[in-house]
Amino acid sequence: MSELWAQLGSILATIMFVYAIIERFLPPSFRDSLQIHTQKVMNLLYPYIQITFHEFSGERLKRSEAYTFIQTYLSENSSQLAKRLKAEVIKDSQNPLVLSIDDDEEVTDEFQGVKLWWAAIKIETSSHGFSSFSNYKRYYKLTFHKKHRDLITISYIKHVLKEGKEIALKNRQRKLYTNNPSSGWYGYKQSKWSHIVFEHPATFETLAMEKKKKEEVIKDLLKFRNGKDYYAKIGKAWKRGYLLYGPPGTGKSTMIAAMANFMNYDVYDLELTAVKDNTELRKLLIETSSKAIIVVEDIDCSLDFTSQRKINKNEKNEEDELLMEQKDYYQRKKDEEESNSKSSKVTLSGLLNFIDGIWSACGGERIIIFTTNFVEKLDPALIRTGRMDKHVELSYCCFEAFKVLVKNYLDIDSHDLFDEIGDLLEVVNMTPADVAENLMPKSVNEDVETSLKNLIKALEKKKMEKQQEEDKDCVETVEDVKENGYIV
Ligand SMILES: Nc1ncnc2c1ncn2[C@@H]1O[C@H](COP(=O)(O)OP(=O)(O)OP(=O)(O)O)[C@@H](O)[C@H]1O
Ligand SMILES: [Mg+2]
């Protein structure tokens, strides 16, 4: 053994000696060609290629997306094989504790039968003289045999980035955004949207509506989600508009939550009354991410906002006239300016541009939903196909919807009282919200039958009220005929 070490020592000494001679006495041109040849020999002896992916890249030292996606991919696929793992608590993630391979650890991966090696590398770079902290650079190093060069560079890396992105999207915590008034858009902590974690539990299973209608919406959403190439082929921006309409309490907002959960999208709840003008509206749109649902609730109220404001102003005018006269000119001017700055000047055309103008194509994979209680009040331009592609009516509770609610609230599929309830629902208009409220047990001791009887009682009461209303109308008609000889 000692002989072997002695031999190794003398070989190393010889190499260093020859290297020193070359450095000192050989001309630079000869040295360069020697280096090239040495590299060639090295390449023959070491048939592997290495690719590095640095954590920070770009001009503004932005964390590289590729690095993040590789980290996610390796955490999911190869972290079981690693002996040393790094634990990180990540904000805005469904699984906040994320395990990834530790620095200077190596794991293997396989792709189409080809073996590759990933190493997480951390190197110390220069430290600041005035600080005791060191700077570190991190990167992932991918090593593979050179005969698989095309497979790895063309297919494997694409596969890793795509899968990493998908896993990151799946694990992320979805958010519910709302727009800030423009006074908060600038300066420190500037942001156009505020957000909280989106945690609405509604799903299509718990949504009470006719089965056929529900399936239609689900199919439509699925087609949209998988339609990236199709939209590109037909030259249309990858977005879809939904109009949900129906009386209050029929599940419009619930359906939006179910859609967001189904699609795994963020929700941007756009409060139009807080948007000053069309330019602001466009700025807000640009700041939304893809994979998002943009919602404008009660669109009829939002669009009428400006005229509504004017009506209120006119009503108030007479009362305030006396007071106003007492105010001096400058004070009045100031008040006027203030009220103007508060009012929204978003116009119908601005909103239409928001939905399908050229700016609306930025980002992609977005759903825009309008809700209203009065579909007939909306401007036809707003809801024409292409803008609002799919109109969904959410209506009063039918028997099918009742069966979903009763399963949600009482966990039963059938009961002797179902027939009676079905008959009543055919003649009485009750919203799913009211049906749900009646089904909800009012105390811990209340059993299924009591809850169902409560609902029957409420339905019968409504039926009676409806009957009385009809009778009253009938009496009025008879009186009109008696009085005028015709129906008014
Ligand atoms: N179709 C439904 N399926 C399941 N639950 C429903 C449904 N409709 C209403 N609900 C229940 O009633 C409540 C109110 O419903 P929701 O807020 O979705 O009504 P809406 O149609 O948006 O009403 P509005 O027009 O007043 O905004 C919900 O929290 C939900 O519990
Ligand atoms: Mg609602």
Side-chain angles (χ1 to χ4, degrees), residues 169-216:
L169 272 175
K170 198 179 75 199
N171 288 344
R172 96 200 145 123
Q173 187 75 269
R174 273 171 310 117
K175 292 179 191 137
L176 170 62
Y177 293 86
T178 185
N179 50 312
N180 295 330
S182 53
S183 51
W185 287 10
Y186 306 99
Y188 178 63
K189 276 194 168 182
Q190 54 178 358
S191 83
K192 297 191 175 53
W193 297 92
S194 305
H195 67 259
I196 53 162
V197 173
F198 180 76
E199 286 177 322
H200 202 295
T203 61
F204 276 112
E205 283 84 58
T206 62
L207 182 72
M209 70 188 283
E210 287 159 53
K211 207 170 162 212
K212 206 171 138 235
K213 257 195 202 171
K214 202 192 309 190
E215 275 169 6
E216 214 177 280

Side-chain angles (χ1 to χ4, degrees), residues 130-250:
F130 51 84
S131 149
S132 57
F133 294 112
S134 301
N135 282 333
Y136 290 102
K137 232 176 160 179
R138 282 192 171 83
Y139 61 89
Y140 282 111
K141 187 174 79 186
L142 171 65
T143 309
F144 54 91
H145 198 284
K146 63 181 178 189
K147 68 180 173 196
H148 304 302
R149 187 189 188 112
D150 285 349
L151 176 75
I152 304 302
T153 53
I154 296 169
S155 313
Y156 176 69
I157 293 177
K158 210 168 161 188
H159 156 80
V160 170
L161 298 181
K162 188 167 166 254
E163 201 162 299
K165 189 175 178 181
E166 272 165 19
I167 298 165
L169 272 175
K170 198 179 75 199
N171 288 344
R172 96 200 145 123
Q173 187 75 269
R174 273 171 310 117
K175 292 179 191 137
L176 170 62
Y177 293 86
T178 185
N179 50 312
N180 295 330
S182 53
S183 51
W185 287 10
Y186 306 99
Y188 178 63
K189 276 194 168 182
Q190 54 178 358
S191 83
K192 297 191 175 53
W193 297 92
S194 305
H195 67 259
I196 53 162
V197 173
F198 180 76
E199 286 177 322
H200 202 295
T203 61
F204 276 112
E205 283 84 58
T206 62
L207 182 72
M209 70 188 283
E210 287 159 53
K211 207 170 162 212
K212 206 171 138 235
K213 257 195 202 171
K214 202 192 309 190
E215 275 169 6
E216 214 177 280
V217 175
I218 294 175
K219 273 189 207 153
D220 196 80
L221 288 170
L222 280 175
K223 195 157 169 267
F224 173 76
R225 183 160 66 191
N226 304 323
K228 186 177 182 183
D229 296 336
Y230 175 72
Y231 277 82
K233 195 178 123 217
I234 59 170
K236 216 171 159 237
W238 190 15
K239 64 187 179 58
R240 195 150 175 83
Y242 283 80
L243 174 74
L244 310 185
Y245 65 96
T250 47

Side-chain angles (χ1 to χ4, degrees), residues 17 68 70 85 141 159 388:
F17 177 70
T68 315
I70 292 168
L85 293 163
K141 187 174 79 186
H159 156 80
M388 293 293 108

Side-chain angles (χ1 to χ4, degrees), residues 370-407:
F370 287 170
T371 74
T372 182
N373 296 139
F374 308 98
V375 68
E376 64 285 351
K377 265 174 74 177
L378 297 183
D379 194 305
L382 187 66
I383 57 172
R384 74 148 165 79
T385 321
R387 287 193 176 122
M388 293 293 108
D389 305 280
K390 192 149 181 62
H391 297 192
V392 183
E393 182 181 10
L394 285 124
S395 191
Y396 293 109
C397 193
C398 59
F399 186 60
E400 262 183 81
F402 159 74
K403 280 184 84 175
V404 177
L405 287 173
V406 84
K407 178 81 188 152

